[in-house]
Amino acid sequence: WYQRRVRVLNVRGNFYEVFESTLRKYKDTLLGSEELQEYFDPESGEHIIDTDPQIFYTILHFYQTRGHLYCPPSITEERFLEEIKFFRLTKYFLKLNDTAEDIADEENPRPKQVNMVWTFLEKSNSSVGAKIWSYCSIVCILMAVTIFMVETLPDIEAQVKNESTLLYFVFFCIETTCIAFFTLEFILRAFSCPQFLLFVRNILNWVDFVSILPYYIGLIFPGGIAHIFVVLRVLRVVRVLRLARHSDGIKIIFLALSTSVSELFFLIFFWSIAIIFFGSLIHYAEGKENNAFDSIPRSAWWVVVTMSSVGYGDCYPETTLGKLIGSLCIMSCMLVLALPMTVIISKVTRTYHAYIQRENRIELRRQIADSKKAEVSEINSSTAV
């Protein structure tokens, strides 16, 4: 009976005439339910809704297109989420903006305990225990990195290498404790992750794996081959990158770099061309009169230092032609470095906004889940009474 009935919606002076049948397609939303009558003004015969007209146009577009909901470019997603929460469209927006990890959560339901472990490890603000675990992880990282640096001091290095000294025992116990903590955390993350393929593709998980690998190889081969042992000691510095798990800023940088591979390749490619080109020019211009440019590889080192704006001063052109080439090298570096960097910076900005939006959607999902649990518990309590 309401298929041809028209509702007049007054949104801050903007009037919209909509068939009631269009709104009733989604009866679990504000505009499609009987609750819309609460905003009806009998004198004007209109439904008066106080909201942003630009956002409301998008919401009305959702009903007219049967499910197409998007955030206007001029509106922040935080504000848009508040509005669609009022109109009870949150679940539709989340469904349209699901990521691969969100879909994995829905298609691969896991036991409640597994989800609790993943949330405990991944979200430090989910509980007091998660915060304590996060702080312990940071302390272990700092201790492991501190040991790595302190043991290279000349006065301490000899004692650390001697297994009969007390300092060696103390350092070994501290490192073993830290590695045990890192290993436990890595295993728990691997078994509780929403989808193992996404876990393997995450660069931070590879950082965790490489940071604990040298310790176990050192236990299996105590003496070790000299050059392998040196490589393992260098790999231990990777542990400092584990701090990225506790910093949103570092996570965003990692994500931006992983999506900017083509731009980075473009930067390295043109930088390599410039190094070879200017290295060859400065060699033939200065090589006979300046020993610092007696070969193209040594000249290439000068190009790297010059283009990076470091300027050590260990070698520099002395002839007029060499200085002219040096000037061209400096000016060209502005183009070679500046153009790709603008693209990378824009990628960082987009990655930051995408990361914030995903965090907001995760928070919305948590709120929806909590509200559903509260409704179920309320129904059960009323039924029990």
Side-chain angles (χ1 to χ4, degrees):
W1 61 273
Y2 56 80
Q3 290 184 358
R4 293 188 174 275
R5 184 176 175 181
V6 177
R7 289 186 181 271
V8 180
L9 307 176
N10 183 350
V11 182
R12 294 183 182 177
N14 296 272
F15 297 92
Y16 302 89
E17 294 184 351
V18 190
F19 283 113
E20 188 170 348
S21 59
T22 302
L23 302 178
R24 287 296 185 93
K25 294 173 184 176
Y26 300 93
K27 296 182 180 181
D28 55 344
T29 64
L30 176 62
L31 298 183
S33 65
E34 295 297 332
E35 293 183 28
L36 183 60
Q37 289 299 116
E38 298 178 6
Y39 301 90
F40 182 72
D41 181 21
E43 296 182 2
S44 61
E46 303 164 354
H47 295 81
I48 301 176
I49 301 176
D50 184 18
T51 188
D52 190 324
Q54 187 177 4
I55 296 178
F56 185 79
Y57 179 81
T58 302
I59 292 173
L60 187 60
H61 184 263
F62 165 80
Y63 291 91
Q64 294 172 338
T65 57
R66 297 185 179 183
H68 185 207
L69 184 62
Y70 65 95
C71 177
S74 58
I75 304 295
T76 61
E77 182 160 319
E78 290 81 4
R79 183 182 173 193
F80 183 71
L81 290 175
E82 291 180 1
E83 292 291 339
I84 64 174
K85 187 177 181 181
F86 169 75
F87 287 98
R88 298 211 298 270
L89 295 171
T90 304
K91 68 177 183 179
Y92 297 103
F93 180 73
L94 293 175
K95 186 176 181 180
L96 289 169
N97 290 274
D98 275 345
T99 60
E101 190 170 342
D102 299 328
I103 296 173
D105 288 338
E106 295 182 1
E107 294 181 349
N108 300 294
R110 299 168 298 164
K112 180 180 178 181
Q113 293 78 5
V114 177
N115 287 326
M116 289 176 61
V117 172
W118 177 255
T119 303
F120 179 84
L121 296 173
E122 194 70 16
K123 300 296 178 184
S124 60
N125 57 353
S126 60
S127 64
V128 177
K131 278 189 176 181
I132 295 175
W133 181 275
S134 176
Y135 291 146
C136 291
S137 179
I138 294 175
V139 170
C140 287
I141 294 171
L142 295 177
M143 289 175 61
V145 174
T146 302
I147 289 175
F148 173 75
M149 294 187 297
V150 170
E151 67 182 14
T152 60
L153 294 174
D155 298 336
I156 298 178
E157 187 173 10
Q159 299 183 49
V160 173
K161 291 181 179 179
N162 188 353
E163 298 183 4
S164 61
T165 61
L166 176 63
L167 193 60
Y168 170 85
F169 178 76
V170 172
F171 274 38
F172 178 79
C173 290
I174 295 175
E175 185 174 12
T176 302
T177 303
C178 295
I179 292 298
F181 184 91
F182 297 154
T183 304
L184 176 62
E185 186 178 32
F186 182 79
I187 293 174
L188 291 176
R189 285 183 183 276
F191 279 98
S192 64
C193 63
Q195 193 175 37
F196 189 72
L197 180 59
L198 295 176
F199 179 84
V200 172
R201 291 168 55 186
N202 191 334
I203 188 173
L204 291 178
N205 296 324
W206 282 100
V207 169
D208 293 344
F209 178 74
V210 173
S211 67
I212 62 179
L213 182 63
Y215 177 83
Y216 293 107
I217 295 179
L219 288 181
I220 297 173
F221 305 101
I225 304 174
H227 62 277
I228 295 179
F229 186 71
V230 172
V231 172
L232 294 178
R233 289 178 65 87
V234 173
L235 284 178
R236 289 169 58 194
V237 77
V238 176
R239 293 171 189 170
V240 73
L241 297 179
R242 287 179 54 88
L243 289 172
R245 288 202 175 275
H246 309 281
S247 172
D248 290 339
I250 301 178
K251 285 182 181 178
I252 291 170
I253 294 296
F254 272 111
L255 291 172
L257 290 177
S258 63
T259 58
S260 305
V261 176
S262 59
E263 288 80 7
L264 291 172
F265 177 78
F266 173 79
L267 173 63
I268 295 172
F269 176 73
F270 279 96
W271 202 5
S272 301
I273 292 177
I275 290 171
I276 297 172
F277 179 74
F278 287 106
S280 301
L281 289 181
I282 199 69
H283 166 68
Y284 288 109
E286 293 275 335
K288 295 181 179 180
E289 302 180 9
N290 193 336
N291 293 330
F293 302 98
D294 58 355
S295 66
I296 292 180
R298 291 189 64 181
S299 302
W301 163 251
W302 169 83
V303 177
V304 171
V305 172
T306 302
M307 294 190 69
S308 59
S309 303
V310 176
Y312 287 122
D314 54 342
C315 54
Y316 51 87
E318 297 178 351
T319 64
T320 303
L321 181 59
K323 292 178 181 179
L324 178 60
I325 295 173
S327 301
L328 293 175
C329 178
I330 293 171
M331 288 186 290
S332 67
C333 87
M334 297 178 185
L335 296 176
V336 174
L337 297 180
L339 292 179
M341 287 304 297
T342 54
V343 179
I344 295 174
I345 291 172
S346 65
K347 282 279 185 78
V348 173
T349 304
R350 289 198 296 269
T351 304
Y352 170 77
H353 290 300
Y355 182 82
I356 297 300
Q357 290 171 6
R358 172 165 172 74
E359 291 298 314
N360 291 336
R361 289 195 292 269
I362 291 174
E363 180 64 20
L364 271 177
R365 288 180 183 276
R366 188 187 63 79
Q367 292 177 2
I368 292 173
D370 292 343
S371 63
K372 287 183 179 179
K373 290 179 182 178
E375 291 177 2
V376 171
S377 62
E378 185 177 349
I379 292 173
N380 292 337
S381 60
S382 61
T383 304
V385 174

